[in-house]
Amino acid sequence: MNSTGDALGCVCDLRSDTMTRPDDAMRAAISTANVGDDVYGEDPSVTALEARMAQMLDKEAAVFFPTGTQSNLAAVMAHCGRGDEVIIGDSYHIYCDEAAGASVLAGVSMNAIAADLDGALSPALVADNIKDDDPHYARSRLLCLENTVGGQVISLTKMQAAAQVAWNSGLAVHLDGARFFNAITVLGCRATDLAKCADTVSVCLSKGLGAPAGSVLLGPQAVMSQARRNRKILGGAMRQAGVLAAAGLYALDNNIPDLAQDHARAARMGDALRKLNVGEVKQGSNMLFFTPAPEHHQPLGIHMANAGVRIGGQSPAIRMVLHRDVTDEGLDTAIAAFRSYYS
Ligand SMILES: Cc1ncc(COP(=O)(O)O)c(C=O)c1O
């Protein structure tokens, strides 16, 4: 490793947008942050971040969490009791990638329904899966939406339509907006437009926005009070968390416009890959998936690593994610390495 933490020779890390490291200006914001004990409600930077996000998304209240996983889980716990059921897309992070925490820790049953190819949930399928009030059944309590889904951006119309079906039957709606700002950048809408498609929204600061940690959960005051209690139960109430909140505030002030550049670079990478024989290429917002023939997986990964480019090791589709630590030069290196492999 060198001093910035790069594996030796790594010029372009495309495994995830969580690879971003705070730049000098963000580190300066961290080092000068006003802090206090946030468990006592006395950290001014955390309080400022929560107020700022609540205002941006037009939600009554907000709670700062160390991670998106915990923020999502605290939200599910705030909406649901043991034995309640969440309806969720079968490719969504809460269902696939959060170690079934909602079931393990909250006693919530997850009813995973097939997401459409674009990641959206069909309103008719949501309606079909809302259970009657019958003692044989789990109580349908919450619909979990996600946007972006694997980089794909779901339209406001589709988000609203799925949410409305849930609301009509008395369910609450939670949005896992880990990449909320990527979504609104592509949609060209206001933060409030997407936020109003759900009662509660979880937004990550630690992905494309470049903060080292932190997510914010937003929603009605009563639900956020319960979520704050849940955060304590889950061990996520932090003390001088203002050092992290300051990074989040810096990211909100400075880094949102740069997401469009990540999307443009992902599109450029997609165009370059389509000209090579790499198999199917899918690109949305800052993510790309391509499906090389199985025999290429390992040698391609090694070839790319030798050129200083790290790509995902998933199979059959390999994921690549553009983010603020990938420069045009890094992207050029990655494209050149793909070309030399496939030449
Ligand atoms: C869509 C989505 N939701 C939630 C999370 C969880 O965030 P964290 O890694 O901060 O727990 C991730 C993380 O990659 C994600 O991609």
Side-chain angles (χ1 to χ4, degrees), residues 68-111:
T69 299
Q70 195 178 80
S71 171
N72 281 329
L73 178 54
V76 170
M77 289 169 71
H79 288 296
C80 301
R82 300 185 75 77
D84 287 348
E85 182 181 87
V86 167
I87 298 173
I88 186 165
D90 60 356
S91 57
Y92 290 5
H93 202 272
I94 293 175
Y95 177 62
C96 299
D97 294 301
E98 298 185 5
S103 302
V104 175
L105 298 175
V108 167
S109 159
M110 283 193 271
N111 179 6

Side-chain angles (χ1 to χ4, degrees), residues 278-299:
V278 299
E280 192 201 355
V281 180
K282 228 168 86 178
Q283 180 259 323
S285 64
N286 65 333
M287 291 192 194
L288 287 138
F289 293 83
F290 70 104
T291 313
E295 65 272 20
H296 284 301
H297 266 256
Q298 209 191 12

